[in-house]
Amino acid sequence: MNLTPPTRRLPLVTALSFVLALTLAACSSVDLGRAAAPVTTAAAMAPAETASAAEPAASAASTQVATSTSGAAGAPAAAASDAEAMDADDDDDTDTAAKSAPAVLPPYDPLQPEAKVNLDNSAARSDLWHRVRDGFAIPDLDNAEVKVWEQWYSSRPDYVGRMTARGSKYLFHITQEVERRHMPTELALLPFTESAFNPQAMSVAKASGMWQFVSATGKDFDLKQNIFRDDRRDVLSSTRAALDYLQRLHDMFGDWRLALAAYNCGQGTVQRAIARNLKAGLPTDYESLSLPVETRQYVPKLQAVKNIVMHPDAYGLTLPPVGNHPYFLSVPIERDIDVDTAAKLANVPIDEFRMLNPQLDKPVILAAGTPQVLLPYDNADDFVRAVKSHQGALATWTAYVVGKTMRPADAAKAVGMSEAELREVNHIPARMLVKSGSTLLVPRSAQHIADVSVAVADSAAMALAPDLPPTRRVNMRIAKGGETVAAVAKRWHVSPTEVATWNHVKPTAKFAAGSTAVLFLPRSTSLARAPAHPAPTKAVANAPAGKAVVAKAPAAKTRVAQTPNARSGAHVAVSKAPRRTVVAHKAAGTPAKPVSKTKVAQP
């Protein structure tokens, strides 16, 4: 079955005939001495696919990028100009300077920003798959698991076609970076097995992006994660971090198969497996180790993809050609700009814009936190010219930092928008408070016109708290015989789950006699009118008819600790309340039912 999709043409030579950038900014480095948490992939063994089929890179035209003395990715130094994003409280002079700065700079290849474009070089016309095959260097693995995955992929030609079409957007960049580091090009195929080359993939273990970083490992490799962006999904940053991590693991184990296994299950798991085999006098190669089931499938799955790339016709597949040139270019951003506006000015469908810039979590791009956007090779130069001629505001959204804990309705009123819109844009659930220091996305206004500052763009966070009435803590002494969590909850009109949480027990548990149950009740709750736990009564012999006799029962104590609000944790007063049982006798001498009364002294 032929899966080759239609190609599209690149723009004329004159569209990108100028020098793309002047200076290479230093690429951020990673401290290889720091400990990394394991990268976790999806629990399911079959590759996950959540994105729809995407259009592959063009192969009808091509470019050749000259070799750069510094191959690291990064924006030119000119991108870090004095027009850095500012906070709303900056002075008018700084505001004016930012407005006069250019909104974007010329596009460039992220790995070779000093290169000139040469559309006529024949070397660029070759298919990128040939280049990938030439760089294979990991010894082949041949076992039953490899055969299983070869069969799995070969029986799903449509899936393979969609996966390779998505991968064609990123494969040139990844191959360039792998070769620059002198690493085997099998690693460029790893996103096929990790995420089916879906940069927006999220596993059940919350690993994110085409390289599937969990949060902790992402932070260890300097991948920013806040309410405006998640660099685990960023094409450039996540590729840099993944290859840094793989190189660290190879340096640790001296073997690419073991490095790949550690990338999947964590270096500690592999180290313990090696230690067990050493102790038992067994070999310590990948196939000899006792590893988790998913990890034992991990390298065979990559080997199956490698075999298909090497000989696709042997599996009844046809790989779509991928041009040996950049699919995208990087355009430095100097001013905040809405995502929809950027896609419109670049003449790029919004879905494709997000596939190239999947790290963006909000409808606005903050220049202080996202210094560049990726655009298709065809559209990058058009975007630069369109921005320069654009009339009107580039951004209609900005950030607002909450000065004190408040209700969403109050925050919405402060920024001039409806509560419903504020909740929807910022994903605030019902009955929640916005805590002090939280960052909200709000419309730009006359009071909020400056670009967002670096501090906010890099550390923006949202913190919420339950919107509950002021409560007080009640320490309830459990009477003789004990009482279940459910019974206590029913008496005080709260849920068993709440009582269980307050007391660190299960909802099905039972409080022992003489123990203390902790409750947090609204201050409006009347403890004096609360139903009391029935206490046993003593029989009264020879009581005169028509008279009431009081029999003392064991006292039940309720300790009430008053707090202005349970969240404050300050308990300032305690009270005790005795309980007595009254037994009334009818005139005929038949005892009436005991009546329990509870008095609670108010603090």
PDB file of all heavy atoms in Angstrom, residues 185-199:
ATOM      1  N   THR A 185      21.909   7.560  14.859  1.00  0.00           N
ATOM      2  CA  THR A 185      20.662   8.148  14.379  1.00  0.00           C
ATOM      3  C   THR A 185      19.436   7.292  14.723  1.00  0.00           C
ATOM      4  O   THR A 185      18.312   7.724  14.477  1.00  0.00           O
ATOM      5  CB  THR A 185      20.713   8.369  12.857  1.00  0.00           C
ATOM      6  OG1 THR A 185      21.077   7.133  12.209  1.00  0.00           O
ATOM      7  CG2 THR A 185      21.712   9.447  12.496  1.00  0.00           C
ATOM      8  N   GLU A 186      19.629   6.116  15.292  1.00  0.00           N
ATOM      9  CA  GLU A 186      18.475   5.381  15.819  1.00  0.00           C
ATOM     10  C   GLU A 186      17.725   6.225  16.853  1.00  0.00           C
ATOM     11  O   GLU A 186      16.501   6.097  16.998  1.00  0.00           O
ATOM     12  CB  GLU A 186      18.911   4.067  16.477  1.00  0.00           C
ATOM     13  CG  GLU A 186      19.322   2.975  15.513  1.00  0.00           C
ATOM     14  CD  GLU A 186      20.820   2.934  15.296  1.00  0.00           C
ATOM     15  OE1 GLU A 186      21.476   3.992  15.476  1.00  0.00           O
ATOM     16  OE2 GLU A 186      21.340   1.874  14.927  1.00  0.00           O
ATOM     17  N   LEU A 187      18.448   7.098  17.548  1.00  0.00           N
ATOM     18  CA  LEU A 187      17.820   7.927  18.574  1.00  0.00           C
ATOM     19  C   LEU A 187      16.830   8.918  17.962  1.00  0.00           C
ATOM     20  O   LEU A 187      15.888   9.353  18.632  1.00  0.00           O
ATOM     21  CB  LEU A 187      18.889   8.680  19.369  1.00  0.00           C
ATOM     22  CG  LEU A 187      19.932   7.809  20.083  1.00  0.00           C
ATOM     23  CD1 LEU A 187      20.905   8.684  20.863  1.00  0.00           C
ATOM     24  CD2 LEU A 187      19.272   6.782  20.989  1.00  0.00           C
ATOM     25  N   ALA A 188      17.035   9.279  16.691  1.00  0.00           N
ATOM     26  CA  ALA A 188      16.085  10.185  16.032  1.00  0.00           C
ATOM     27  C   ALA A 188      14.739   9.511  15.807  1.00  0.00           C
ATOM     28  O   ALA A 188      13.727  10.192  15.583  1.00  0.00           O
ATOM     29  CB  ALA A 188      16.663  10.666  14.691  1.00  0.00           C
ATOM     30  N   LEU A 189      14.709   8.175  15.867  1.00  0.00           N
ATOM     31  CA  LEU A 189      13.467   7.428  15.681  1.00  0.00           C
ATOM     32  C   LEU A 189      12.737   7.187  16.999  1.00  0.00           C
ATOM     33  O   LEU A 189      11.613   6.676  16.994  1.00  0.00           O
ATOM     34  CB  LEU A 189      13.759   6.074  15.022  1.00  0.00           C
ATOM     35  CG  LEU A 189      14.536   6.100  13.701  1.00  0.00           C
ATOM     36  CD1 LEU A 189      14.785   4.678  13.210  1.00  0.00           C
ATOM     37  CD2 LEU A 189      13.784   6.912  12.657  1.00  0.00           C
ATOM     38  N   LEU A 190      13.352   7.539  18.126  1.00  0.00           N
ATOM     39  CA  LEU A 190      12.761   7.233  19.425  1.00  0.00           C
ATOM     40  C   LEU A 190      11.373   7.848  19.628  1.00  0.00           C
ATOM     41  O   LEU A 190      10.502   7.205  20.232  1.00  0.00           O
ATOM     42  CB  LEU A 190      13.718   7.672  20.535  1.00  0.00           C
ATOM     43  CG  LEU A 190      13.441   7.124  21.938  1.00  0.00           C
ATOM     44  CD1 LEU A 190      13.440   5.598  21.925  1.00  0.00           C
ATOM     45  CD2 LEU A 190      14.475   7.644  22.930  1.00  0.00           C
ATOM     46  N   PRO A 191      11.100   9.079  19.146  1.00  0.00           N
ATOM     47  CA  PRO A 191       9.735   9.607  19.308  1.00  0.00           C
ATOM     48  C   PRO A 191       8.663   8.770  18.609  1.00  0.00           C
ATOM     49  O   PRO A 191       7.489   8.855  18.984  1.00  0.00           O
ATOM     50  CB  PRO A 191       9.839  11.010  18.691  1.00  0.00           C
ATOM     51  CG  PRO A 191      11.265  11.403  18.865  1.00  0.00           C
ATOM     52  CD  PRO A 191      12.020  10.122  18.664  1.00  0.00           C
ATOM     53  N   PHE A 192       9.045   7.963  17.616  1.00  0.00           N
ATOM     54  CA  PHE A 192       8.066   7.055  17.010  1.00  0.00           C
ATOM     55  C   PHE A 192       7.509   6.103  18.063  1.00  0.00           C
ATOM     56  O   PHE A 192       6.307   5.829  18.104  1.00  0.00           O
ATOM     57  CB  PHE A 192       8.707   6.247  15.872  1.00  0.00           C
ATOM     58  CG  PHE A 192       8.834   6.999  14.576  1.00  0.00           C
ATOM     59  CD1 PHE A 192      10.071   7.211  14.007  1.00  0.00           C
ATOM     60  CD2 PHE A 192       7.719   7.481  13.916  1.00  0.00           C
ATOM     61  CE1 PHE A 192      10.202   7.902  12.806  1.00  0.00           C
ATOM     62  CE2 PHE A 192       7.828   8.172  12.710  1.00  0.00           C
ATOM     63  CZ  PHE A 192       9.079   8.381  12.165  1.00  0.00           C
ATOM     64  N   THR A 193       8.384   5.574  18.914  1.00  0.00           N
ATOM     65  CA  THR A 193       7.961   4.605  19.913  1.00  0.00           C
ATOM     66  C   THR A 193       7.456   5.274  21.191  1.00  0.00           C
ATOM     67  O   THR A 193       6.635   4.704  21.903  1.00  0.00           O
ATOM     68  CB  THR A 193       9.123   3.652  20.259  1.00  0.00           C
ATOM     69  OG1 THR A 193      10.199   4.396  20.847  1.00  0.00           O
ATOM     70  CG2 THR A 193       9.634   2.966  19.010  1.00  0.00           C
ATOM     71  N   GLU A 194       7.950   6.455  21.494  1.00  0.00           N
ATOM     72  CA  GLU A 194       7.539   7.145  22.714  1.00  0.00           C
ATOM     73  C   GLU A 194       6.141   7.739  22.591  1.00  0.00           C
ATOM     74  O   GLU A 194       5.318   7.610  23.495  1.00  0.00           O
ATOM     75  CB  GLU A 194       8.538   8.263  23.054  1.00  0.00           C
ATOM     76  CG  GLU A 194       9.808   7.790  23.730  1.00  0.00           C
ATOM     77  CD  GLU A 194       9.585   7.409  25.183  1.00  0.00           C
ATOM     78  OE1 GLU A 194       8.484   7.689  25.702  1.00  0.00           O
ATOM     79  OE2 GLU A 194      10.502   6.840  25.787  1.00  0.00           O
ATOM     80  N   SER A 195       5.862   8.428  21.500  1.00  0.00           N
ATOM     81  CA  SER A 195       4.627   9.218  21.408  1.00  0.00           C
ATOM     82  C   SER A 195       3.986   9.177  20.033  1.00  0.00           C
ATOM     83  O   SER A 195       3.052   9.945  19.787  1.00  0.00           O
ATOM     84  CB  SER A 195       4.941  10.678  21.763  1.00  0.00           C
ATOM     85  OG  SER A 195       5.869  11.223  20.831  1.00  0.00           O
ATOM     86  N   ALA A 196       4.475   8.324  19.135  1.00  0.00           N
ATOM     87  CA  ALA A 196       4.031   8.339  17.738  1.00  0.00           C
ATOM     88  C   ALA A 196       4.240   9.721  17.126  1.00  0.00           C
ATOM     89  O   ALA A 196       3.484  10.165  16.276  1.00  0.00           O
ATOM     90  CB  ALA A 196       2.572   7.914  17.610  1.00  0.00           C
ATOM     91  N   PHE A 197       5.284  10.404  17.577  1.00  0.00           N
ATOM     92  CA  PHE A 197       5.663  11.736  17.120  1.00  0.00           C
ATOM     93  C   PHE A 197       4.537  12.753  17.330  1.00  0.00           C
ATOM     94  O   PHE A 197       4.382  13.695  16.551  1.00  0.00           O
ATOM     95  CB  PHE A 197       6.102  11.729  15.651  1.00  0.00           C
ATOM     96  CG  PHE A 197       7.591  11.787  15.471  1.00  0.00           C
ATOM     97  CD1 PHE A 197       8.297  10.722  14.933  1.00  0.00           C
ATOM     98  CD2 PHE A 197       8.306  12.924  15.860  1.00  0.00           C
ATOM     99  CE1 PHE A 197       9.672  10.769  14.771  1.00  0.00           C
ATOM    100  CE2 PHE A 197       9.684  12.988  15.704  1.00  0.00           C
ATOM    101  CZ  PHE A 197      10.365  11.907  15.166  1.00  0.00           C
ATOM    102  N   ASN A 198       3.810  12.587  18.418  1.00  0.00           N
ATOM    103  CA  ASN A 198       2.775  13.556  18.786  1.00  0.00           C
ATOM    104  C   ASN A 198       3.324  14.453  19.901  1.00  0.00           C
ATOM    105  O   ASN A 198       3.457  13.998  21.045  1.00  0.00           O
ATOM    106  CB  ASN A 198       1.519  12.832  19.261  1.00  0.00           C
ATOM    107  CG  ASN A 198       0.416  13.795  19.666  1.00  0.00           C
ATOM    108  OD1 ASN A 198       0.544  15.005  19.518  1.00  0.00           O
ATOM    109  ND2 ASN A 198      -0.666  13.258  20.189  1.00  0.00           N
ATOM    110  N   PRO A 199       3.645  15.717  19.617  1.00  0.00           N
ATOM    111  CA  PRO A 199       4.247  16.581  20.644  1.00  0.00           C
ATOM    112  C   PRO A 199       3.279  16.972  21.749  1.00  0.00           C
ATOM    113  O   PRO A 199       3.701  17.519  22.770  1.00  0.00           O
ATOM    114  CB  PRO A 199       4.701  17.814  19.848  1.00  0.00           C
ATOM    115  CG  PRO A 199       3.759  17.866  18.694  1.00  0.00           C
ATOM    116  CD  PRO A 199       3.472  16.423  18.339  1.00  0.00           C
TER     117      PRO A 199
END
